[in-house]
Amino acid sequence: MKNLILTQMKQFILFLFISILFVGYTFSSTKDNSTIANKDFIFNKLTYNTTNANSATTNDTIITNSISTYSICAGDSLTVYFSYSVKLNFPLTKKFFIQLSDASGNFAALTLLDSLLSDTSGNQNKKIGIPSTTSAGNGYRIRVVFNNPNIVLIDSTTNLTVNTLPLSAGTISGLATVCQGQNSITYSVPTIANATSYVWTLPTGATGTSTTASITVNYGTSAVSGNITVKGTNSCGDGGISTKAITVNPL
């Protein structure tokens, strides 16, 4: 009977010892997993893992501070200045993208202008070109976005006006054959899109001035045959020229 009690006591002590080891292992394992989970969270914040991106970037902003000009010709360049919070240390392998809206300020049909790698300065600027194919308009906006996570910056609060070259001049209407000494002959051209002024040239000996779509010409007694030309112009440059051949008959 005594031996049986000793045996049972030994079994109980062994069971108790094993239980303590098991509980200790479980606690240790749980602690280690917690540490690993925290490291994963930090890692995810730094790499903008999708799982944690929403909560991690709630207070992060990117603001398009200003642009170097608010009126530009299509094909020319301007500088975009922007700032961003750096508490998440935007990854150096990720990029900011500079985007142009349509002429109504809508980014649904945006144009990608350029991109640049992130740094931790919190402020960057980039000289970017406005495509030469951009249509004229005064409601364009510029914004910057970050690609991982997808953070959209507040777009520039002032509209950007994009000007384009005048279109080519159309056909010049008016007499093609005149006589020396003939006066007050009117020539005109259809309105040239995007032109703020018109530039006319006349044959030698003919006189007349105009900055509009029509001109009145006087042919002097020494006028000779030649060409009348016209083109539209604006702050961005000149459009295509239209030419009309003029025959001047002598007296």
Side-chain angles (χ1 to χ4, degrees):
M1 183 68 177
K2 186 175 182 179
N3 289 337
L4 178 60
I5 293 173
L6 288 173
T7 299
Q8 289 178 341
M9 289 181 65
K10 287 179 180 180
Q11 289 176 344
F12 176 78
I13 291 172
L14 180 60
F15 173 80
L16 184 60
F17 178 74
I18 292 174
S19 298
I20 291 172
L21 287 178
F22 179 78
V23 172
Y25 174 79
T26 302
F27 176 79
S28 177
S29 176
T30 302
K31 183 178 180 181
D32 288 344
N33 285 339
S34 175
T35 302
I36 290 171
N38 288 336
K39 287 182 179 178
D40 284 346
F41 178 68
I42 294 172
F43 176 79
N44 288 340
K45 285 174 64 179
L46 292 176
T47 59
Y48 298 103
N49 182 280
T50 303
T51 303
N52 295 318
N54 291 335
S55 60
T57 61
T58 299
N59 297 319
D60 284 282
T61 58
I62 313 171
I63 300 174
T64 308
N65 293 331
S66 63
I67 53 181
S68 57
T69 180
Y70 289 97
S71 181
I72 191 172
C73 296
D76 287 351
S77 298
L78 56 79
T79 301
V80 176
Y81 301 85
F82 63 97
S83 60
Y84 47 95
S85 59
V86 294
K87 76 180 183 65
L88 294 183
N89 297 319
F90 291 89
L92 301 183
T93 57
K94 304 300 179 181
K95 288 184 176 182
F96 292 100
F97 294 90
I98 302 173
Q99 301 171 341
L100 178 70
S101 73
D102 63 17
S104 299
N106 190 340
F107 285 93
L110 62 85
T111 299
L112 177 63
L113 299 178
D114 211 333
S115 64
L116 69 163
L117 287 172
S118 170
D119 65 21
T120 56
S121 68
N123 291 280
Q124 291 207 60
N125 64 80
K126 180 72 173 180
K127 186 175 183 179
I128 51 95
I130 302 298
S132 58
T133 55
T134 303
S135 300
N138 58 11
Y140 286 95
R141 292 292 184 94
I142 287 179
R143 74 178 184 185
V144 184
V145 302
F146 194 69
N147 69 336
N148 190 0
N150 293 324
I151 302 178
V152 177
L153 287 69
I154 301 171
D155 61 71
S156 52
T157 55
T158 303
N159 289 342
L160 171 68
T161 297
V162 175
N163 301 304
T164 60
L165 288 173
L167 297 184
S168 295
T171 302
I172 299 171
S173 61
L175 293 177
T177 301
V178 297
C179 295
Q180 290 177 334
Q182 193 171 350
N183 297 320
S184 301
I185 309 300
T186 299
Y187 296 90
S188 63
V189 68
T191 300
I192 302 172
N194 306 323
T196 56
S197 185
Y198 293 71
V199 179
W200 293 87
T201 65
L202 304 172
T204 301
T207 59
T209 60
S210 176
T211 57
T212 68
S214 65
I215 187 171
T216 299
V217 179
N218 297 322
Y219 291 93
T221 55
S222 60
V224 297
S225 298
N227 293 325
I228 291 179
T229 69
V230 66
K231 63 183 177 182
T233 187
N234 63 20
S235 59
C236 295
D238 299 335
I241 296 174
S242 179
T243 301
K244 185 179 183 69
I246 303 297
T247 298
V248 180
N249 293 322
L251 292 173

